[in-house]
Amino acid sequence: MHMNRKLLSTVIAVILCLVTFVLVINTSRSQLTLAQSADTAQLPNTLLVNPAAPKLDPASTACALQPDRGSVQARTQAMLKRRTQLLASGTFDLSRFRQASKVASQVGDKATLATAQPDAGSVPREQIAFVDPTNYGDRFLNDINGNPANLEPIIVLHETVGSASSALNMFQAFHRNDDDQVSYHTLVKRDGTLVYLVPPDKRAFGAGNSVFVGANGAEAVKTHPSFPGSVNNFAYHISLETPYDGNHNGYSHSGYTQAQYKSLAWLVAKTGVADERITTHKAVDRSRSRIDPRSFSNSTFFSLLSAQPRTTEIAIRCTDPTPLVTQPQ
C-alpha cells in the first residue's frame, strides 16, 4: 500500500511538470505574437498604407514623404523608435552640417563638443553639440494633406534669451511631448563660435505657429494634425546667444558682439539663401508673442554679409527619396 501511494505521488508530480511546461511554451508564443503586433503598430501609418515607401536610415539626408496622420500614440511610438535608431546609429561629423575640407572629430557623449580650429582666422570656430532626436525631425516632401511642401528655403534668426549652455541643456533633454520639443540648426555664441545642432536637411523645431510672407505670398507647411502650419519644413533656424543683460522679456538689450555678426554673416553666406528670404522669429510668428532677435542691427549684418562670397556648402534641402522606392517582392 505504501509503495502504491509513493508511485501515485511520483506519477502526479510528473504530470504536473508536463502541464507546467506546456503552459510556459504557450505563454511565450502568445507574448511573441503580441510583441510582433506591437512592433507593427509602432510603424508610421505611411509605411503601413504605402508598403513601397522607403525605410530610410535615420541619419539619411532624404526627405520623408508625408507626415503621419495617425493617433497620438502611434506618432509617439514612431518617434521613440526613431530616437532609438538615431542614438544607435552613431554620431555626426562636420561634413554632416556643411561640406568642408576639414572635418571635426565625432561626438560620442552628449556633454562633449567636437571642435574644428579656424583656418588662419578666416573661419569661425565651429563646434558640434548633441541634440536629442525628440527635438527635431525629417523635412517632408508633402504636407499632412498630401500637397507639395518642398518650398524654397528661408533663414530665420532667433536669440536664446539666456546663456548658450542653458539652451544646449534644453535641446539635449528628452522631450516626449510635442509642446516641449524645441531646437535650432545652429547657435552663435558671444565669442562668435558656431555650434551646429541639427543637420540642415532635417527639420528643427524653431518656430511653431508661423508664416513667411515674401514675393510668393504667405508660405507655411502643416506637418502636425493638432498644430497650425509653420515655416519649420523649409526654414534654417539660427540663434544668437543673448547678452547678459537680456535675460528678460523686455524689448531691447545691449545687443550682439561684432564676433557674432561676423560669424552669422559667414554662416548665412554658406547657405546660398537670398537676402529677401532672410527673416526673424518676430516677423514669422503668428502668435505675436515672439520678439527675437531683439536689438538686432540689420545694417551691420547685411553689410558684413554683402562682403562674403555666396556658396551652398550648407545644403538646407533634403534629397528626394522617390528614386529609392522599390516595388515589394
Side-chain angles (χ1 to χ4, degrees):
M1 187 68 177
H2 177 71
M3 290 296 294
N4 289 338
R5 287 181 177 176
K6 186 174 182 180
L7 179 60
L8 181 60
S9 298
T10 302
V11 171
I12 292 173
V14 171
I15 292 173
L16 288 174
C17 289
L18 290 173
V19 171
T20 302
F21 179 77
V22 171
L23 289 174
V24 169
I25 293 298
N26 288 337
T27 301
S28 298
R29 287 177 177 174
S30 298
Q31 290 176 341
L32 178 60
T33 301
L34 288 173
Q36 290 172 338
S37 298
D39 285 344
T40 302
Q42 289 178 20
L43 293 176
N45 285 356
T46 50
L47 293 182
L48 296 177
V49 174
N50 180 13
K55 296 180 181 180
L56 302 173
D57 184 306
S60 169
T61 62
C63 309
L65 297 180
Q66 186 175 330
D68 180 22
R69 296 187 62 136
S71 67
V72 174
Q73 181 180 7
R75 288 195 303 275
T76 301
Q77 289 175 333
M79 175 193 70
L80 295 178
K81 184 173 183 178
R82 176 181 172 277
R83 178 178 186 266
T84 300
Q85 292 173 332
L86 274 168
L87 293 178
S89 67
T91 56
F92 301 137
D93 59 28
L94 182 60
S95 65
R96 190 67 177 80
F97 298 89
R98 74 175 181 90
Q99 296 301 312
S101 58
K102 292 190 175 182
V103 178
S105 302
Q106 291 191 346
V107 185
D109 189 329
K110 73 175 186 178
T112 305
L113 295 176
T115 304
Q117 297 298 328
D119 296 333
S122 60
V123 179
R125 178 179 292 272
E126 298 173 279
Q127 298 178 331
I128 303 170
F130 175 95
V131 172
D132 191 273
T134 57
N135 293 320
Y136 67 95
D138 294 319
R139 296 190 189 274
F140 296 105
L141 283 182
N142 304 295
D143 68 12
I144 202 162
N145 297 313
N147 301 313
N150 197 16
L151 302 179
E152 193 68 23
I154 64 172
I155 300 289
V156 181
L157 304 179
H158 305 253
E159 69 172 292
T160 59
V161 193
S163 67
S165 60
S166 65
L168 289 175
N169 288 337
M170 180 181 297
F171 304 149
Q172 291 170 351
F174 167 75
H175 291 134
R176 176 186 291 267
N177 297 325
D178 294 323
D179 288 331
D180 300 327
Q181 296 164 356
V182 61
S183 60
Y184 308 122
H185 287 96
T186 304
L187 191 154
V188 186
K189 298 171 72 174
R190 296 284 291 165
D191 64 358
T193 298
L194 298 174
V195 184
Y196 297 116
L197 306 170
V198 175
D201 52 90
K202 297 298 182 182
R203 182 169 48 95
F205 302 154
N209 183 7
S210 55
V211 63
F212 174 73
V213 180
N216 299 322
E219 299 177 37
V221 176
K222 186 174 178 62
T223 59
H224 195 289
S226 302
F227 296 134
S230 80
V231 300
N232 289 340
N233 199 62
F234 56 100
Y236 184 78
H237 296 286
I238 306 172
S239 185
L240 297 158
E241 182 180 14
T242 302
Y244 304 114
D245 62 348
N247 193 12
H248 53 70
N249 294 323
Y251 284 89
S252 64
H253 48 57
S254 58
Y256 308 102
T257 66
Q258 190 68 10
Q260 282 180 295
Y261 281 113
K262 287 181 178 179
S263 294
L264 178 63
W266 181 90
L267 178 70
V268 171
K270 304 295 183 186
T271 68
V273 173
D275 290 4
E276 59 268 20
R277 293 187 70 83
I278 301 172
T279 186
T280 65
H281 195 187
K282 178 181 179 180
V284 300
D285 178 52
R286 285 191 283 196
S287 71
R288 300 185 183 276
S289 63
R290 308 298 183 182
I291 57 175
D292 57 313
R294 299 168 293 173
S295 301
F296 184 80
S297 173
N298 282 296
S299 59
T300 300
F301 167 66
F302 281 106
S303 174
L304 291 168
L305 180 62
S306 64
Q308 291 285 339
R310 296 296 182 96
T311 68
T312 54
E313 291 179 34
I314 298 175
I316 297 175
R317 293 183 184 277
C318 48
T319 56
D320 189 342
T322 304
L324 302 177
V325 176
T326 57
Q327 294 300 321
Q329 300 295 327

